[in-house]
Amino acid sequence: MKSHETLTLIEQITRNDGSSYYEIANMVQNGRAEKAAMKGLIKEVRIIQLNIPRSSSVIKYEQYVNEHFTMPGEDFDEFPEWTKTPEIQKVVDQILHENHVA
């Protein structure tokens, strides 16, 4: 089943091993990450920027996410990290650059 998410924010997720990464997400996904942190599945999540501009890069990443991933339900016991192809990682890096995060 495909998702139909609109991505509107940048968050930083810290894994339990202390390493971290940036993700382009929305408030619902951020809520899932907050719950994952409370369950100990990740160390923490914090919003870096709200209401990011809807650039062509954001639209491209949004299409990728909606094609390849589904939103976890409210009762989950793992927090999967979205895998990115090298091409899609470049798109994410461009979004971070556009928003002065990288």
Side-chain angles (χ1 to χ4, degrees), residues 1 3-4 9-11 19-20 22 25 31 34 36 38 46-47 50-51 56 62 69-70 77 79 84-85:
M1 176 183 214
S3 288
H4 300 286
L9 60 84
I10 299 170
E11 61 187 6
S19 63
S20 64
Y22 293 106
E34 290 284 351
M38 291 187 323
R46 64 187 184 114
I47 294 174
L50 288 169
N51 301 321
S56 60
E62 194 173 87
F69 305 101
T70 57
D77 57 6
F79 188 76
K84 298 167 184 67
T85 64

Side-chain angles (χ1 to χ4, degrees), residues 5-7 24 52-66 88 91 95 98:
E5 302 299 323
T6 300
L7 305 179
I24 316 306
I52 60 173
R54 193 153 169 75
S55 68
S56 60
S57 297
V58 169
I59 291 168
K60 185 172 184 174
Y61 186 58
E62 194 173 87
Q63 290 169 342
Y64 173 79
V65 167
N66 286 328
I88 290 299
V91 172
I95 295 167
E98 291 168 355

Side-chain angles (χ1 to χ4, degrees), residues 36-51:
M38 291 187 323
K39 289 181 164 192
L41 303 174
I42 60 174
K43 188 172 184 178
E44 72 176 347
V45 61
R46 64 187 184 114
I47 294 174
I48 302 298
Q49 187 166 338
L50 288 169
N51 301 321

